[in-house]
Amino acid sequence: MNKIRLLAVTCLTCCSLYAQKPIDATKQIEYIDLIHLSHTDYGYTDNPDIAHELHERYIDIGIDAVLESVNDQSKPTFCWTAEALASVYEWWQDASPSRRKDLLKAVKSKQFEITAAPFNVNPLHNGTQIEKMLNWIPEDLWKSFQPEVAMQNDVNGFPRALVSGLMDKGIRYFWSGLNLHWGGIFIHRLMPFGGKCRMAVRHLYG
């Protein structure tokens, strides 16, 4: 009976929402950003070793596409986002000196974005683990990569300690892509820990 009542309430709510006056999106939406990235989900869709190799290939493809549009202004501007810092660092360790220069050129063009968090995490990490994530790469490389955005995609929320630490490192923009299978839409509040940041919350992942 409780399930039936819940279903009835849900149906009535949905009907009332659809019955509302249509919203003119052209008066509320100024522009739409299309963010190119390859979601990092080690071990879920494939063997982790294969996933690591594929992500290194994706970075190569992204670099080549960015530099092609940088070197030929007649072609459409191509932008790429590396969702996880860990994937880029693994690529960097395997890359040749010339290839590393290609990545830095792509980053300098502002068409290749390297995000600040090493990977997508849950909110249960301790202080030692947070500290490790905040210092995943050498400081000189951090400055070369020039991260401006931190991303947590396919997980719900952003660990407060990680946000605080990343803000101390100069990050001011945060992106959270929800996974509705982990509990659904949440009301996001940044707890007081000093400073302000902008948070983009996507409705769904993928």
Side-chain angles (χ1 to χ4, degrees):
M1 180 61 69
N2 289 337
K3 291 183 178 179
I4 295 175
R5 290 176 179 172
L6 178 59
L7 179 60
V9 171
T10 303
C11 291
L12 288 172
T13 302
C14 291
C15 290
S16 65
L17 288 175
Y18 281 109
Q20 292 178 4
K21 185 178 179 180
I23 298 174
D24 186 354
T26 60
K27 295 181 179 180
Q28 298 191 23
I29 300 175
E30 296 182 3
Y31 62 89
I32 298 175
D33 286 322
L34 300 178
I35 311 298
H36 293 280
L37 61 89
S38 182
H39 178 46
T40 309
D41 206 346
Y42 295 139
Y44 183 74
T45 56
D46 216 326
N47 181 285
D49 289 336
I50 295 176
H52 281 285
E53 181 181 345
L54 288 175
H55 278 283
E56 290 195 30
R57 293 184 186 181
Y58 300 152
I59 292 170
D60 275 317
I61 294 171
I63 292 171
D64 290 339
V66 166
L67 293 183
E68 184 177 358
S69 68
V70 169
N71 296 328
D72 187 349
Q73 298 297 319
S74 66
K75 295 186 176 181
T77 300
F78 181 85
C79 297
W80 184 258
T81 299
E83 182 190 70
L85 180 61
S87 298
V88 181
Y89 189 41
E90 289 174 3
W91 177 94
W92 181 269
Q93 292 172 305
D94 294 335
S96 65
S98 62
R99 199 60 178 149
R100 290 180 176 184
K101 290 181 180 179
D102 287 340
L103 173 60
L104 296 180
K105 182 178 179 180
V107 170
K108 189 175 181 179
S109 73
K110 298 298 183 180
Q111 293 175 218
F112 195 107
E113 175 76 28
I114 301 175
T115 61
F119 32 70
N120 304 303
V121 301
N122 62 50
L124 303 178
H125 292 78
N126 60 35
T128 301
Q129 293 169 322
I130 292 292
E131 187 67 21
K132 176 64 177 178
M133 285 189 285
L134 291 172
N135 297 280
W136 198 261
I137 62 176
E139 186 62 25
D140 60 336
L141 195 56
W142 174 271
K143 293 179 180 178
S144 296
F145 286 171
Q146 305 172 15
E148 299 179 18
V149 179
M151 182 182 293
Q152 289 292 280
N153 197 21
D154 199 11
V155 291
N156 290 357
F158 219 117
R160 192 182 81 171
L162 185 58
V163 171
S164 179
L166 288 171
M167 290 180 68
D168 289 342
K169 292 174 71 71
I171 303 301
R172 289 295 177 267
Y173 304 97
F174 296 83
W175 167 307
S176 178
L178 306 183
N179 182 334
L180 298 187
H181 301 291
W182 283 55
I185 299 298
F186 67 95
I187 299 175
H188 182 83
R189 295 186 179 91
L190 283 178
M191 301 299 288
F193 51 81
K196 295 181 179 180
C197 66
R198 290 187 177 182
M199 184 79 180
V201 182
R202 297 194 309 162
H203 177 62
L204 296 171
Y205 72 95

